[in-house]
Amino acid sequence: MKKNLVLLLALISIFYQATKVQAGTLLEPYVGTLLSSTGEFNSDDLDITGTTVGARVGFQQMGVMLGLDGRRTSANFEDSDSDSDYTITQLGLFAGYDFPVMVRVWGTYVFSVEGVDDDDTDTKITSGSGTTFGVGYKFFPFLSANLEMSNLKTSKYETELLGEQDLDGDYTIYTLSISLPLSL
């Protein structure tokens, strides 16, 4: 909670400074689907499918983009024995560049990955992090098709019965999305 409060105060400070240097506020909502995503969860190989919705919020000046990326993913983790549905929330700081030729690139440091097992709400992923790299193509002035690759790790989970436990999870997630990059 303290980490999110500090991040919020930092983001407010960035917006305040951005208005002084004539930078535009960036608001970019997006929706997407997970493609050919895989993972390893406590030594079990997983196939991951699902959808995601989120937004990048920050500022943009002369093509440079900086800000906060938040998303919520509804994912299905399927291994050889079973499958589980999770709702995963992740937050990260992103930096990128919007080229004049309608191509965009960005990278995100994901500092928070949390999730809830939709089938058993007593099971929660409580700690995770990773990186995301993306490229987009603006095929209309305010519409962008994007492809992202995320490498995420989870390290802790919690159940009501067992309390907090170590969780060894590595995930490679490919996301195809459509976004609406608005510079206000």
Side-chain angles (χ1 to χ4, degrees):
M1 185 65 172
K2 287 182 183 179
K3 180 171 46 173
N4 290 342
L5 181 60
V6 169
L7 182 65
L8 180 61
L9 291 175
L11 192 58
I12 290 170
S13 174
I14 288 170
F15 281 129
Y16 177 72
Q17 295 300 324
T19 58
K20 285 184 172 181
V21 295
Q22 309 280 317
T25 302
L26 175 69
L27 176 61
E28 182 179 0
Y30 57 86
V31 62
T33 186
L34 308 182
L35 305 170
S36 301
S37 301
T38 60
E40 188 176 307
F41 188 77
N42 286 339
S43 301
D44 291 332
D45 290 331
L46 300 172
D47 289 325
I48 304 170
T49 58
T51 59
T52 190
V53 62
R56 281 180 279 279
V57 178
F59 71 91
Q60 180 173 352
Q61 181 179 23
M62 296 177 58
V64 176
M65 305 179 294
L66 297 170
L68 182 66
D69 183 345
R71 68 181 68 190
R72 175 164 273 191
T73 303
S74 296
N76 178 271
F77 295 95
E78 186 175 341
D79 63 13
S80 59
D81 297 331
S82 64
D83 67 358
S84 296
D85 293 321
Y86 276 83
T87 300
I88 298 171
T89 304
Q90 69 185 56
L91 291 173
L93 295 172
F94 79 92
Y97 191 76
D98 193 348
F99 291 96
V101 292
M102 301 184 337
V103 175
R104 312 167 68 231
V105 295
W106 63 90
T108 304
Y109 168 68
V110 179
F111 58 82
S112 175
V113 176
E114 297 178 351
V116 176
D117 187 341
D118 294 338
D119 303 324
D120 178 11
T121 57
D122 291 337
T123 303
K124 298 176 183 173
I125 297 171
T126 59
S127 179
S129 62
T131 57
T132 298
F133 297 99
V135 62
Y137 179 75
K138 285 185 179 177
F139 54 94
F140 288 115
F142 295 109
L143 202 56
S144 178
N146 310 306
L147 181 63
E148 292 180 311
M149 183 184 87
S150 300
N151 291 309
L152 303 175
K153 294 183 181 289
T154 53
S155 57
K156 300 273 184 201
Y157 77 102
E158 182 179 309
T159 64
E160 193 172 293
L161 181 62
L162 300 173
E164 190 169 80
Q165 301 287 317
D166 288 336
L167 172 67
D168 185 22
D170 291 317
Y171 315 94
T172 301
I173 299 172
Y174 298 95
T175 306
L176 180 63
S177 66
I178 299 290
S179 66
L180 188 64
L182 302 171
S183 187
L184 308 172

